[in-house]
Amino acid sequence: MFNSSEVLIALEKALNTTQLYMVYQPIFNLRTQSISGFEALMRWNSPQMGMISPDIFITLLENTGNMFSIEDMVTNPPWDVAATWPDPILLSVNISALEFSDPLLPQRVKQNLAASGLPAHRCQIEVTETSPLCDSQIAAKNMTELKAMGVELALDDFGTGHANLNYLLKYPFDTLKIDKEFVAGIEPDTKSTKIVEGIISLAHNFGIEVLAEGVETQSQLERLTQIGCDKIQGFHISPPVMAEDIPALLLQHNR
């Protein structure tokens, strides 16, 4: 087993090499019955340690305060990849709560979009729930600036992380992502179903869309459709794929 410092040293050496790369998981719109976007997810295949989960290495980076931006970590940034997709396919990118306390975040996003040619309305920033939004004033300002640019905002893992109902009052989210723990329990009819129904109803009252993560079966898809969920992600549609596999997926689902 490798310790934290060994993982961090190996990670620094992996930056901007083929060890670190992005995969893309489809976001499926239940209303249009088509793929409406892809979430970009980082992967690390270390020659010494094998595949290391982003839950491990991103959390380690956050704990040390050494948060690298995606474009500083991978050679083929997701904005460049997404710029080749047909309009209006959306790119969803994870930004940690730690990065949201950086006042330069909107400027960085703007530069990435400009350099890639991806329109702002086709970019969604997901706030990942590994740590709470520490400086809420800067975070709120950053979100306001990103929204003014046309970028959408999503809140990841709603219901299990640090996020609470207060976030809905403070921050201008467009999408709430329901954690897969709740989705796993919606068949048959259970408390999870009631929770998911409640989140959907609450979000829709705020004018916010709901995306359910971790959908693995047709019956889960049908139940989510029935209770008014807007979008889903999960292995039932597709696992995360390499960038070159995206055109075939769009051909299969978006006729």
Side-chain angles (χ1 to χ4, degrees):
M1 193 63 189
F2 297 90
N3 64 38
S4 300
S5 57
E6 286 175 314
V7 173
L8 282 169
I9 290 165
L11 180 59
E12 289 211 12
K13 289 178 181 169
L15 295 176
N16 280 307
T17 71
T18 53
Q19 289 181 42
L20 284 165
Y21 59 95
M22 306 302 292
V23 292
Y24 299 86
Q25 184 161 36
I27 295 167
F28 190 77
N29 188 313
L30 292 172
R31 301 187 188 287
T32 63
Q33 291 291 299
S34 62
I35 291 173
S36 58
F38 290 87
E39 179 184 0
L41 300 158
M42 195 176 294
R43 294 290 182 260
W44 179 18
N45 190 359
S46 163
Q48 294 80 29
M49 297 175 275
M51 292 298 293
I52 298 175
S53 162
D55 290 347
I56 293 172
F57 68 85
I58 298 293
T59 305
L60 270 178
L61 282 176
E62 286 192 333
N63 290 345
T64 56
N66 289 326
M67 202 63 223
F68 294 98
S69 56
I70 292 171
E71 63 274 18
D72 293 333
M73 295 180 78
V74 297
T75 51
N76 194 13
W79 296 274
D80 295 349
V81 173
T84 67
W85 302 341
D87 193 21
I89 303 295
L90 187 84
L91 167 72
S92 198
V93 176
N94 292 288
I95 299 282
S96 75
L98 191 68
E99 283 184 272
F100 262 95
S101 60
D102 176 5
L104 297 177
L105 175 65
Q107 188 184 327
R108 228 182 68 212
V109 172
K110 194 172 188 175
Q111 285 169 347
N112 286 327
L113 292 173
S116 66
L118 182 71
H121 71 269
R122 284 180 51 209
C123 178
Q124 177 175 264
I125 302 290
E126 285 190 28
V127 184
T128 55
E129 271 291 80
T130 43
S131 59
L133 285 164
C134 19
D135 194 323
S136 61
Q137 278 187 315
I138 293 177
K141 186 173 182 290
N142 281 345
M143 289 190 201
T144 304
E145 285 185 34
L146 287 165
K147 291 272 287 186
M149 282 161 47
V151 172
E152 289 191 11
L153 298 171
L155 179 59
D156 200 13
D157 297 337
F158 186 73
T160 58
H162 297 274
N164 52 44
L165 294 176
N166 198 27
Y167 274 36
L168 301 188
L169 296 174
K170 273 184 172 179
Y171 307 116
F173 290 109
D174 300 283
T175 301
L176 285 188
K177 297 187 74 173
I178 298 177
D179 188 78
K180 58 182 181 290
E181 279 182 38
F182 296 115
V183 174
I186 64 169
E187 279 292 322
D189 202 358
T190 57
K191 284 181 181 175
S192 288
T193 313
K194 301 282 188 292
I195 290 171
V196 173
E197 280 179 333
I199 292 171
I200 291 169
S201 173
L202 177 73
H204 285 175
N205 283 336
F206 276 86
I208 297 171
E209 283 195 323
V210 177
L211 186 156
E213 298 179 281
V215 176
E216 295 186 354
T217 66
Q218 181 63 24
S219 59
Q220 287 173 346
L221 183 154
E222 286 166 5
R223 175 55 65 92
L224 287 162
T225 305
Q226 189 184 14
I227 60 178
C229 190
D230 303 292
K231 294 173 181 175
I232 60 167
Q233 274 179 283
F235 277 55
H236 183 63
I237 299 300
S238 169
V241 300
M242 299 296 286
E244 55 267 30
D245 299 322
I246 287 172
L249 265 182
L250 288 175
L251 205 60
Q252 181 188 340
H253 290 282
N254 295 19
R255 296 190 182 282

